Amino acid sequence: MKWAAGRLRGFEEEHGRMQAIGIAAFGPIELRPSAANYGRMLRTPKPHWSRASIVDPVQRAFQLPIAVATDVEGAAVAEGLIGAAEGADPFVYMTIGTGIGVGVISKGEPFRGLVHPEIGHMAIPRQAGDSFPGACPFHGDCLEGMASGPAMAGRWGRRAEELSGTVREKAMALEAAYLALGLRTIILSFAPERIVIGGGVGLTPGLLPRMRNVLKRSLGNYPGIDHFTRRDFLKTAKLGEMAGPRGALALAQRAHNDL
């Protein structure tokens, strides 16, 4: 975080004094302001990051209002303001890449309980014939363990973007099947107006139409699900790599407005 503070000082030198700071950080992270370890990383497999403080070094350096959220929440907020979820409420943003992260936004704010939701770790039924044990270090064959980028690389021996031919077809069909199971649970739990899909794997060409088709079959004829089978319900993210930074700026604006 010293590096981040240094970059922010350089930003001030170029653009003038900041009024507030927004942080969109990878998780898991403690986001309850009342908690003694607020702004600190929880246990994570990322080397040297467990219990690291994200907020304290920045607060000491600048003494400014700070709003903090997960990187997925930040990206979700941005997609709701100026991206693919603009005008939708509530909506869900799912990023599929090195992990699977989900942000649930209602009335412009991320939904949280005691911790931020970790929907990517939901349990899902294993597809017939799939013997891959799963890539999640905590749960093995949860959604993230079966459908994230590392899961695809572990199952097929190559990253998603390197697959081709019949192997790619098989991989995309299995990926769509697992993701549709996750989306069905999200829909039946939160009934969002829209779901936005992002991340390196999530934006793989041809994956979204497959997800739509499998999701429609997965939902069956359950009453009230017509909205969730519309073409504009499931959309690709619009902001790409700028979703996180734009989300952090939106968080900073909110921290300033709360003064």
Side-chain angles (χ1 to χ4, degrees):
M1 292 307 294
K2 290 182 178 179
W3 175 86
R7 291 295 299 270
L8 289 173
R9 288 195 184 283
F11 181 87
E12 281 195 320
E13 291 174 2
E14 183 176 354
H15 299 283
R17 174 71 173 167
M18 295 183 295
Q19 301 299 310
I21 297 172
I23 299 175
F26 69 87
I29 185 172
E30 176 58 74
L31 295 175
R32 293 174 296 172
S34 61
N37 60 337
Y38 169 67
R40 287 185 175 273
M41 288 291 172
L42 304 178
R43 187 164 63 91
T44 173
K46 292 183 175 64
H48 313 300
W49 279 100
S50 293
R51 294 180 292 280
S53 178
I54 299 299
V55 172
D56 287 349
V58 178
Q59 183 68 68
R60 288 195 299 270
F62 295 97
Q63 299 297 311
L64 291 172
I66 296 176
V68 61
T70 67
D71 50 359
V72 177
E73 290 174 339
V77 168
E79 288 287 348
L81 289 173
I82 56 173
E86 187 176 3
D89 187 82
F91 72 90
V92 169
Y93 170 81
M94 173 186 280
T95 178
I96 309 153
T98 56
I100 293 181
V102 179
V104 180
I105 307 295
S106 179
K107 296 180 173 59
E109 296 293 334
F111 170 82
R112 293 178 188 159
L114 290 176
V115 296
H116 50 82
E118 289 286 5
I119 298 171
H121 292 277
M122 71 173 77
I124 55 171
R126 179 179 291 274
Q127 293 295 293
D130 184 15
S131 60
F132 181 65
C136 175
F138 299 105
H139 312 114
D141 58 356
C142 62
L143 179 61
E144 181 174 299
M146 301 304 281
S148 64
M152 293 192 73
R155 181 186 286 110
W156 302 105
R158 284 172 288 172
R159 295 182 299 175
E161 60 268 30
E162 297 172 343
L163 299 174
S164 62
T166 57
V167 173
R168 186 183 189 279
E169 289 300 307
K170 291 179 181 179
M172 290 298 103
L174 190 59
E175 184 74 0
Y178 279 126
L179 292 172
L181 288 171
L183 293 176
R184 182 178 69 177
T185 298
I186 290 171
I187 288 169
L188 297 177
S189 298
F190 299 102
E193 186 175 342
R194 187 172 301 157
I195 294 179
V196 175
I197 303 295
V201 175
L203 297 178
T204 300
L207 179 58
L208 193 70
R210 289 179 179 270
M211 290 167 62
R212 283 196 185 103
N213 291 336
V214 181
L215 177 61
K216 184 175 182 178
R217 296 197 301 269
S218 177
L219 288 169
N221 293 316
Y222 192 81
I225 56 85
D226 290 349
H227 175 84
F228 309 120
T229 61
R230 288 169 41 179
R231 184 174 179 81
D232 62 350
F233 170 70
L234 195 61
K235 301 183 68 173
T236 55
K238 182 179 178 181
L239 301 178
E241 294 181 354
M242 289 305 298
R246 288 180 180 274
L249 288 172
L251 294 172
Q253 182 65 58
R254 293 177 184 185
H256 181 260
N257 292 343
D258 288 342
L259 288 175

